[in-house]
């Protein structure tokens, strides 16, 4: 194995994205109205999870995937999957990676992010809070003005492993540049 650290072997946050303290976890709870909306509509939109500073830090680590050279050979060993351009069209780039949380302490720490974990714990089973387990990561990256398309879909069709349904998709979107 390469000299690159495999963050999947760390079962706690690195402390590089947020201060690992449970004292403020209660501040990340969803409101009853948000929970009701989720159970009525099956999703929640526009729920902030990261500060501007956290976004800026993650975007710096994201650059490894979008740079001309992309991940090096050692990094590629840790990724489950990597497609520099899954669209196949150089004018519509869609970078796709699985396992990126293994390469970066910041992407790794998203798994433990209180603003995501607390909310997820409230939504897995109605009227109960439960422990959350990380199952799968996926990174799509599309450059401004010439990004490829991820077709509309419902993730549930891919994740039918729990009965009754007890899993969620948490999507975090970053905009590095506003399009005209």
């Amino acid at each position: 194995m390469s000299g690159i650290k495999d963050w999947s072997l760390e079962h706690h946050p690195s402390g590089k994205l947020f201060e690992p303290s449970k004292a403020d976890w209660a501040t990340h709870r969803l409101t009853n109205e948000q929970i009701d909306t989720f159970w009525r509509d099956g999703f929640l939109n526009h729920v902030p999870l990261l500060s501007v500073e956290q976004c800026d830090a993650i975007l710096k680590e994201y650059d490894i995937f979008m740079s001309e050279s992309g991940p090096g050979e050692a990094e590629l060993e840790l990724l489950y999957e990597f497609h520099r351009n899954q669209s196949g069209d150089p004018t519509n780039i869609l970078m796709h990676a699985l396992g990126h949380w293994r390469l970066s302490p910041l992407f790794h720490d998203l798994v433990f992010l209180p603003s995501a974990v607390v909310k997820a714990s409230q939504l897995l089973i109605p009227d109960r809070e439960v422990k959350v387990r990380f199952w799968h990561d996926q990174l799509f990256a599309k450059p401004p003005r010439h990004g490829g398309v991820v077709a509309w879909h419902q993730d549930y069709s891919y994740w039918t492993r729990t009965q009754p349904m007890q899993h969620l998709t948490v999507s975090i979107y970053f905009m590095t540049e506003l399009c005209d």
Side-chain angles (χ1 to χ4, degrees):
M1 185 63 131
S2 70
I4 301 289
K5 179 173 180 145
D6 182 351
W7 282 94
S8 72
L9 302 174
E10 298 293 330
H11 304 290
H12 51 81
S14 72
K16 295 180 191 273
L17 184 62
F18 64 93
E19 185 63 38
S21 167
K22 292 187 179 184
D24 67 344
W25 283 46
T27 64
H28 300 291
R29 295 177 56 78
L30 293 168
T31 66
N32 288 337
E33 181 180 3
Q34 288 172 307
I35 293 169
D36 291 344
T37 297
F38 174 81
W39 287 107
R40 183 190 68 232
D41 299 340
F43 64 92
L44 285 177
N45 273 336
H46 309 292
V47 179
L49 298 178
L50 297 164
S51 69
V52 170
E53 296 78 21
Q54 289 169 320
C55 289
D56 289 344
I58 288 173
L59 285 171
K60 285 180 185 169
E61 292 200 6
Y62 151 94
D63 284 344
I64 188 175
F65 299 99
M66 293 305 288
S67 69
E68 275 297 313
S69 59
E73 189 175 317
E75 288 91 357
L76 287 172
E77 287 181 27
L78 291 179
L79 292 173
Y80 305 118
E81 201 173 304
F82 179 74
H83 305 278
R84 186 170 311 286
N85 186 0
Q86 200 166 33
S87 81
D89 177 352
T91 63
N92 289 305
I93 296 170
L94 177 61
M95 189 284 301
H96 181 217
L98 302 176
H100 59 285
W101 75 291
R102 298 177 68 191
L103 295 179
S104 150
L106 298 182
F107 281 115
H108 167 268
D109 284 3
L110 288 173
V111 173
F112 302 97
L113 188 67
S115 58
V117 172
V118 170
K119 290 168 178 60
S121 75
Q122 293 179 272
L123 298 177
L124 285 169
I125 299 175
D127 303 317
R128 274 184 60 201
E129 289 186 38
V130 296
K131 292 182 180 181
V132 175
R133 178 182 292 182
F134 173 70
W135 174 260
H136 172 71
D137 72 326
Q138 185 163 238
L139 175 64
F140 285 108
K142 304 183 283 185
R145 296 187 176 82
H146 63 277
V149 174
V150 177
W152 185 93
H153 65 282
Q154 289 188 331
D155 286 347
Y156 181 71
S157 64
Y158 299 108
W159 306 114
T160 56
R161 291 167 173 81
T162 60
Q163 295 296 325
M165 189 279 297
Q166 292 179 359
H167 54 272
L168 300 168
T169 297
V170 177
S171 298
I172 301 174
Y173 299 93
F174 297 91
M175 290 180 59
T176 59
E177 179 180 330
L178 295 176
C179 297
D180 297 330

